[in-house]
Amino acid sequence: MSDMDAIQKGADAYDAGVKKSLAKFAERKERFVTGSKSPVERLYTPLNNAGQDYVRDIGFPGDYPYTRGVQNTMYRGRLWTMRQYAGFSTAEESNKRYKFLLEQGTTGLSVAFDLPTQIGYDSDHALSQGEVGKVGVAIDSLADMEILFNGIPLDKVSTSMTINAPASVLLAMYIAVAEKQGVKPDQLNGTIQNDILKEYVARGTYIFPPEPSMRLITDIFAYCSKEVPNWNTISISGYHIREAGATAAQEVAFTIADGVAYVDAAIKAGLDVDDFAPRLSFFFNAHNDLFEEVAKFRAARRVWAKIMKERFGAKSPKSWMLRFHTQTGGSTLTAQQPDNNIVRVAIQTLAAVLGGTQSLHTNSKDEALALPTEDSVRIALRTQQIVAYESGAAETVDPLAGSYYVESLTDRIQKEAEAYIARIDDMGGAVKAIERGYVQQEIQDAAYAYQMDIESGERVVVGMNKFQIKEAPPSGLLKVDPKVGEDQANKLRDLKAKRDNARVASSLEAVKLAATGGDNLMPPILDAVRAYATLGEICDVLRGVFGEYQQKVIL
Amino acid sequence: MERKIRVLVAKPGLDGHDRGAKVIARALRDAGMEVVYTGLRQTPEQIVAAALQEDVDVIAMSILSGAHNHLFPRVMDILRERNVQDILVIGGGVIPDDDIPALKAAGIAGVFTPGTPTSATIDFIKNNLKRSV
């Protein structure tokens, strides 16, 4: 009798036993589902993974298809980068927070910009009123950026910047600050998010229409491959897609479909896939269903590797590897009994680590209420450190591999994601699918179903729809001084009086010329930034040439 | 026959987080209301103009960026300037408890924070309309 026959025999006996038990005691629920509402069976055995081939589908860490991780020693070699997303108020305030985080043991910086900065408006613009310094730091010109990184050696830290539509401008500012520190562009390490497609579907900080936006992105790919070779030129983001309500499989599918669109665009722009693909990076969410999330990360690596090798014919293994940052799930945090969020974040941290993340931001317990305080950020960072140093999860590579359940989930998420990607291909790719509203509609449907499950009590959220208590309003929340807007406007006025305005005007003219023609936009933007042209001035020039995106409103 | 309650769901300011706004819009629609959603990045002026043009009974605004203290009262000011008194205005989002009394004083009738079931918002609207339907 073969192994499988023996297992089948055992499984049949088990099922018979279960039937007897069920006759006496029903299970807790009629249907068991994952966090993303996929059915979960009572028991997983080798029978669930009968079609799997270890070498082909799972393989070894550091080897195609990278199911088990992108490095061969993973966290035994080096722990993931502990990178806390931070930024608020002015450059001065945020600089203080960065120095605090570095003292506490973070190993990389992650800059949060305020909404006017993300949408290319200066702080004194009418639409910036009330928003300056709120969800991140206000940056209007190189002068602010110099303050932001004052005393932080840019050849020693790696910096991630959550900036999309005006990514070229902020990257140029970073390069210019480094120059002033005597640091060359090829010594810089970091990431710009630079992922416009998910802004159209889930995050909302777009400026320009898709076509010129894709050109800005491929200009960055081309420029950095020569000048800033260690920079991650994009962070293709599923995080916000998931936060907007997508399921785990949709998160993988829509993110990778966006990735395919960027690779297509870059190849069309004349770049060689192996010149830019090694610098593509990804950004995923970590929610509460530990096993499903681990499987999601493993499946994402496998799907991407296959696409890069088979579809795009990339030759370099570095082009096949899906490297990713993770942030724990903001939308899973509750305003009720906020201390419970520490536990949620701990589970999500474990999911990211067991899933092989390259860097991690852990959310703070108070983020359903306000920006985090220093105390709550410290707990969030300590959570990563406890997982890293005490849990044992970092001592061996991909410890959940071979779990019948996790391998089965990994296969299922891969299949679901590939089916979505095929559907999006049929529509003509991610840009077309977004223009049609398909991706948005899928995400919204999942978000609505999620909310209805909470309201019916089918989905339990501890402290929110079950185990509630009467609680006093939270105290000690962080508040951003409403005067920040005024202060930034004053700084801008001084800057404009002091700088060489003729040089600013000619540098902006050069940006316009490149935007109208086909030359790479990075060099003239860098010149404009060095002349202290403001973010708003540069983006206004680009708005004039490219126009602005009109949102497709879908309900 | 009773006419349907008309609601403008609006996203003031630069905030792009519209999951909550869209879920609420759909829940209100499922509760039998007529819902118009503005989309992102609306100025207070645009919101009031849309509310008047669509002749709504309710304006429901959502902000997660922290700009509520500026933008919610602006909408109320413009409504007052236009002498509009019969539209119920409510707001939701990541809004600290400390900010709520001032928003209510400015005329925001209900403020709904994370974790509020959509049914609570629906009931509030039905019980607090300023016009008869």
Side-chain angles (χ1 to χ4, degrees), chain A residues 250-517:
Chain A
Q250 287 172 339
E251 179 187 354
V252 172
F254 299 151
T255 309
I256 288 183
D258 287 350
V260 167
Y262 295 124
V263 174
D264 268 333
I267 290 173
K268 266 200 202 106
L271 305 184
D272 183 274
V273 66
D274 286 317
D275 280 345
F276 68 86
R279 301 317 307 173
L280 306 179
S281 63
F282 286 81
F283 174 20
F284 290 113
N285 211 313
H287 273 209
N288 288 329
D289 188 322
L290 179 69
F291 300 108
E292 185 174 51
E293 294 301 295
V294 172
K296 176 188 80 181
F297 299 124
R298 300 174 83 247
R301 273 193 297 268
R302 195 150 76 197
V303 173
W304 182 249
K306 257 177 76 180
I307 287 176
M308 291 310 288
K309 189 177 182 194
E310 293 173 10
R311 176 164 172 173
F312 290 114
K315 299 274 186 306
S316 162
K318 285 202 160 70
S319 302
W320 305 335
M321 289 178 195
L322 180 146
R323 297 170 299 121
F324 67 100
H325 172 69
T326 306
Q327 180 169 338
T328 58
S331 63
T332 68
L333 303 183
T334 60
Q336 297 74 25
Q337 304 176 43
D339 286 349
N340 296 344
N341 293 327
I342 298 171
V343 182
R344 294 190 177 98
V345 169
I347 294 168
Q348 296 163 4
T349 299
L350 196 55
V353 169
L354 294 173
T357 195
Q358 275 57 64
S359 61
L360 178 62
H361 165 103
T362 34
N363 289 332
S364 299
K365 61 173 184 160
D366 45 3
E367 291 189 50
L369 301 159
L371 288 184
T373 63
E374 275 191 6
D375 281 346
S376 63
V377 170
R378 188 187 291 112
I379 296 171
L381 176 60
R382 293 289 179 262
T383 304
Q384 294 199 41
Q385 291 161 336
I386 290 167
V387 170
Y389 297 104
E390 299 184 24
S391 75
E395 309 304 281
T396 186
V397 180
D398 189 28
L400 287 182
S403 150
Y404 307 123
Y405 181 38
V406 171
E407 293 299 356
S408 167
L409 277 172
T410 304
D411 279 3
R412 178 183 59 69
I413 291 177
Q414 176 189 355
K415 281 199 193 85
E416 279 182 39
E418 286 174 342
Y420 266 120
I421 293 167
R423 218 168 306 156
I424 290 169
D425 285 340
D426 287 344
M427 292 178 197
V431 176
K432 290 277 184 297
I434 291 165
E435 283 172 349
R436 266 170 73 158
Y438 167 75
V439 177
Q440 297 90 315
Q441 191 69 59
E442 286 288 312
I443 298 171
Q444 281 166 223
D445 289 349
Y448 193 61
Y450 185 97
Q451 180 64 25
M452 292 304 111
D453 286 347
I454 289 175
E455 299 196 5
S456 70
E458 199 177 315
R459 184 186 292 271
V460 173
V461 181
V462 171
M464 191 173 92
N465 66 355
K466 201 168 184 170
F467 312 112
Q468 300 100 321
I469 54 170
K470 275 214 174 344
E471 27 181 352
S475 56
L477 298 178
L478 185 127
K479 270 209 178 302
V480 176
D481 187 346
K483 261 186 67 245
V484 176
E486 232 174 277
D487 294 348
Q488 280 298 116
N490 290 337
K491 270 204 256 175
L492 268 171
R493 214 178 23 247
D494 293 349
L495 175 84
K496 286 179 182 171
K498 214 167 58 187
R499 66 184 185 181
D500 178 349
N501 281 306
R503 189 178 154 206
V504 170
S506 66
S507 72
L508 290 174
E509 198 50 44
V511 171
K512 189 174 170 187
L513 201 67
T516 315

Side-chain angles (χ1 to χ4, degrees), chain A residues 182-234:
Chain A
V183 175
K184 296 198 178 65
D186 64 4
Q187 295 172 277
L188 294 176
N189 281 287
T191 308
I192 39 174
Q193 197 161 77
N194 199 25
D195 170 11
I196 199 66
L197 293 176
K198 65 89 175 56
E199 296 298 327
Y200 299 132
V201 302
R203 194 168 173 277
T205 68
Y206 44 75
I207 304 175
F208 315 110
E211 200 175 309
S213 293
M214 295 300 269
R215 180 244 168 131
L216 279 165
I217 291 166
T218 53
D219 276 3
I220 291 173
F221 289 179
Y223 182 83
C224 287
S225 71
K226 296 201 177 63
E227 308 291 333
V228 203
N230 299 317
W231 197 265
N232 295 314
T233 51
I234 192 166

